[in-house]
Amino acid sequence: MVGSVIVYNNVIIGEGWHYQAGQPHAEVNAINSVKDKSLLKEATIYVSLEPCSHFGKTPPCANLIIEHQIPNVVIGCIDSFSKVSGKGIEKLQNNGCKVIVGVLEEECTLLNKRFFTFHNKKRPYVILKWAESDDGYISPHHKGEDTIGPVWITNTYSRQLVHKLRAEEQAILVGTNTAITDNPKLDCRTWKGNNPVRIVLDRTLRIPNDYHLFDGNIKTIVFFQEDQKEKIATRATATLLFEAIDFSNNVPTQICDVLYKHQLQSVIIEGGSKILQHFIDTNLWDEARVFKGKTTFSEGLKAPKLKGIVADSITIKEDTLAIYNNESISSM
């Protein structure tokens, strides 16, 4: 997520942003938007992230800036991606550009917190999410005989917001019990956007084959115990993948290692309570989104216990969404 603005004599003459991976970068769109290209030789280009200097899905932006002889470049933050980090700045300086780095650096870094977490910490940006009743439970003890499906705690507006949030992340994860009792689709069907990759923990492969998670509509990764390998011989497909891990040893870290291997920059941990608490106890989370409804259960499965800094609180009709940041994790 990158933005760029070009200024000549204190007047904005061009601006652009990066629409989608594989499409022209912000600097390209900003330069292309300038009507009188002769002004670029006396202009300043502002960009939130260091211009790239390598050929990836698109040509290097540093080369384009040099080609148009833009003399002044102001950069929000350095790109930590190894193919770019510092190299774009060096190329610009070696070709006579005056470069200033670190303007609004914190804001520019937060804009790409998933990207920086992925490249700096070698893991996805981890978001915890759950809904809890007004008296602190995530589900009642008994939903009713032979009942498969979720017990709704929040209203329809909150549930639509959840689908919007899913569309903004690359993966979503649930544990075995949640998968079996709720039979979730884990998609964003009430919001326009891409469905996240579905991740499910199924140590002994207990989840029925006819459940939504295995419908083949969305890429799905199943974590299972190595000694169950013979059960997956005929199940793996292009959209259904299986990854063996050791369920007796630091499961959250192993999950993040595998997701990093699959190039997934963010993941929502949606439950159940046990896997959420595992991530909390190992301090392997960056953000938590906790929905609280007006429903009360009196008894049931207690919501996870979380310590964090409340960054925001949103009222959604009668529901509340509290967003926590994990302040104990070092900066990106």
Side-chain angles (χ1 to χ4, degrees):
M1 298 175 69
V2 185
S4 180
V5 172
I6 300 173
V7 175
Y8 171 80
N9 280 349
N10 293 321
V11 175
I12 294 174
I13 60 171
E15 56 185 89
W17 52 284
H18 184 209
Y19 305 138
Q20 186 176 340
Q23 294 189 11
H25 288 184
E27 302 95 317
V28 177
N29 290 327
I31 290 171
N32 287 343
S33 74
V34 177
K35 293 180 179 179
D36 185 355
K37 298 292 193 294
S38 67
L39 300 179
L40 292 172
K41 294 181 180 180
E42 300 179 48
T44 299
I45 183 168
Y46 296 81
V47 60
S48 58
L49 184 68
E50 176 184 3
C52 61
S53 58
H54 69 294
F55 284 87
K57 294 179 179 179
T58 61
C61 294
N63 288 12
L64 187 66
I65 293 170
I66 294 165
E67 177 188 331
H68 286 280
Q69 300 178 40
I70 302 174
N72 304 301
V73 184
V74 178
I75 298 169
C77 61
I78 296 174
D79 191 334
S80 61
F81 181 41
S82 59
K83 289 185 178 180
V84 180
S85 187
K87 297 181 180 69
I89 294 168
E90 183 180 7
K91 177 176 278 192
L92 291 168
Q93 291 174 330
N94 289 342
N95 283 272
C97 296
K98 180 183 177 182
V99 181
I100 298 174
V101 182
V103 176
L104 295 176
E105 184 173 17
E106 182 178 352
E107 291 85 348
C108 291
T109 300
L110 286 174
L111 187 64
N112 287 296
K113 55 191 177 183
R114 295 158 182 81
F115 173 85
F116 285 118
T117 297
F118 183 80
H119 287 294
N120 294 349
K121 299 184 179 180
K122 312 301 181 188
R123 66 165 176 82
Y125 186 83
V126 177
I127 301 168
L128 309 180
K129 176 266 168 186
W130 70 85
E132 62 181 61
S133 64
D134 197 42
D135 52 353
Y137 297 93
I138 65 170
S139 69
H141 278 315
H142 302 289
K143 298 192 298 184
E145 292 184 7
D146 301 321
T147 299
I148 296 176
V151 173
W152 296 116
I153 294 174
T154 54
N155 60 45
T156 56
Y157 303 101
S158 293
R159 296 199 288 275
Q160 186 178 38
L161 177 57
V162 167
H163 285 209
K164 175 182 182 296
L165 297 175
R166 287 178 179 177
E168 296 170 356
E169 309 305 333
Q170 292 190 347
I172 182 170
L173 180 149
V174 294
T176 310
N177 290 335
T178 299
I180 290 175
T181 58
D182 291 355
N183 189 18
K185 293 181 179 179
L186 299 184
D187 58 13
C188 50
R189 57 194 174 276
T190 65
W191 195 266
K192 184 178 180 180
N194 294 324
N195 292 313
V197 175
R198 300 183 295 203
I199 316 293
V200 60
L201 305 185
D202 194 8
R203 181 174 185 169
T204 58
L205 301 173
R206 293 191 294 121
I207 302 171
N209 290 344
D210 60 352
Y211 267 37
H212 295 309
L213 289 171
F214 306 133
D215 58 19
N217 295 329
I218 304 170
K219 181 179 177 180
T220 303
I221 301 173
V222 180
F223 285 92
F224 72 104
Q225 187 73 33
E226 179 73 33
D227 61 11
Q228 304 292 311
K229 206 164 187 176
E230 72 281 356
K231 296 181 181 180
I232 67 166
T234 60
R235 292 186 63 189
T237 66
T239 57
L240 181 58
L241 310 176
F242 291 84
E243 292 281 359
I245 60 171
D246 180 3
F247 277 80
S248 65
N249 181 36
N250 202 346
V251 171
T253 298
Q254 292 183 76
I255 290 171
C256 286
D257 288 344
V258 173
L259 299 190
Y260 178 79
K261 180 185 75 173
H262 283 274
Q263 297 290 296
L264 295 169
Q265 291 190 12
S266 64
V267 60
I268 304 174
I269 313 298
E270 274 215 5
S273 183
K274 186 176 179 180
I275 188 62
L276 283 163
Q277 197 64 54
H278 274 326
F279 274 85
I280 293 169
D281 292 344
T282 54
N283 201 33
L284 194 50
W285 64 281
D286 299 285
E287 182 180 321
R289 299 165 180 170
V290 182
F291 289 80
K292 183 180 281 284
K294 289 298 182 182
T295 305
T296 58
F297 292 144
S298 300
E299 60 178 15
L301 186 61
K302 275 286 189 181
K305 296 180 180 179
L306 176 74
K307 289 183 180 179
I309 305 299
V310 178
D312 199 5
S313 182
I314 303 167
T315 301
I316 310 160
K317 292 294 184 178
E318 293 186 344
D319 295 344
T320 301
L321 167 60
I323 301 174
Y324 296 82
N325 288 334
N326 188 348
E327 295 293 329
S328 66
I329 288 184
S330 60
S331 63
M332 293 166 283

